[in-house]
Amino acid sequence: APHPPPPPRPAPRPPGPATGALGGGRPIRGAARGSLLEPLGIGPGEGSVRRLVEEVHRHLGAAEGEGGFAWRPPRARIPVFVGAFGPRAVEAACAWADEIRPPGISDTGYFEHLRALVAGRARLGCEVWVAVDADRERARALGREILARFLPSMRAMTDFYAVDAGAAVSDRVLDLFVAAGTPADVAAVVERLAAAGADPITFSGRLGHDPLWAIDTLGAMIT
């Protein structure tokens, strides 16, 4: 089915003073631990959260004593968030991270479990994997495709929900981990997570069969 016309794009924001950066003074360092880290030379299960943060700092050229930026950051210190969902990684990150942002959060149950663990020691957001489309079933088929790739690496969450990571992705399982459906379906997920205290809420994943349409739709949803 053809997409409806996307919402109008907002006028581009001019770069922040003296930076020339697309982020307009909003860059952050992100760190994660687990699978899919082979490009950084870290295999599954190796190292620690701190090791990964050191690697991120090195790639940014922003570790103490280095001057890797080609522009002057508007902030002397860039906040660090950790993309963690396992209890040990979350517990460790509470000691030094500014924010913990678990991925694959669509249902509020696991978010509330982590909020109790964090107990106010760090800001707790979440990363929502999105598959949005005017055609609900097409969006949900894409959501299953996204989730099937990552589910075997999400043991802490699959154990919490008693999910068999090797089984076909049912509607229940899809809705636990992915915001998949029409814009109204995705908006409902965002509203539930915001009501549960998630801050910030970010979007990632394939977004949709038409990513540009999805970006415009998600942008209209949160502005």
Side-chain angles (χ1 to χ4, degrees):
H3 290 299
R9 288 181 180 271
R13 172 183 286 187
T19 68
L22 291 176
R26 296 169 297 173
I28 54 177
R29 292 175 183 145
R33 180 181 185 231
S35 60
L36 309 176
L37 298 177
E38 289 76 11
L40 293 180
I42 303 173
E46 296 179 12
S48 66
V49 174
R50 282 194 177 277
R51 179 187 168 192
L52 180 57
V53 170
E54 291 169 0
E55 188 72 8
V56 172
H57 289 190
R58 185 178 70 79
H59 277 270
L60 285 174
E64 186 176 355
E66 297 180 15
F69 288 119
W71 49 278
R72 183 178 178 182
R75 293 180 292 182
R77 180 180 178 280
I78 300 175
V80 177
F81 80 82
V82 181
F85 57 81
R88 287 187 299 175
V90 168
E91 181 63 35
C94 282
W96 55 269
D98 298 280
E99 177 194 327
I100 300 167
R101 194 181 302 176
I105 300 289
S106 181
D107 178 75
T108 59
Y110 196 74
F111 175 82
E112 291 168 348
H113 169 69
L114 292 182
R115 185 175 60 181
L117 178 61
V118 171
R121 291 176 291 166
R123 188 176 180 183
L124 183 61
C126 66
E127 176 184 319
V128 180
W129 294 339
V130 173
V132 64
D133 199 293
D135 182 328
R136 189 172 190 271
E137 292 311 312
R138 182 164 63 176
R140 292 180 70 77
L142 179 60
R144 287 185 173 86
E145 181 182 324
I146 294 169
L147 186 56
R149 180 184 180 193
F150 294 106
L151 204 55
S153 302
M154 300 167 63
R155 182 173 177 182
M157 297 176 75
T158 55
D159 285 355
F160 178 84
Y161 286 114
V163 167
D164 180 356
V169 177
S170 66
D171 283 337
R172 170 185 172 265
V173 172
L174 178 63
D175 290 332
L176 290 174
F177 302 106
V178 182
T182 65
D185 293 325
V186 176
V189 171
V190 172
E191 289 170 4
R192 287 197 302 270
L193 290 170
D199 180 27
I201 298 171
T202 59
F203 303 121
S204 72
R206 295 274 294 280
L207 301 184
H209 288 282
D210 184 342
L212 293 180
W213 180 87
I215 289 170
D216 283 337
T217 299
L218 294 170
M221 185 184 302
I222 62 176
T223 55

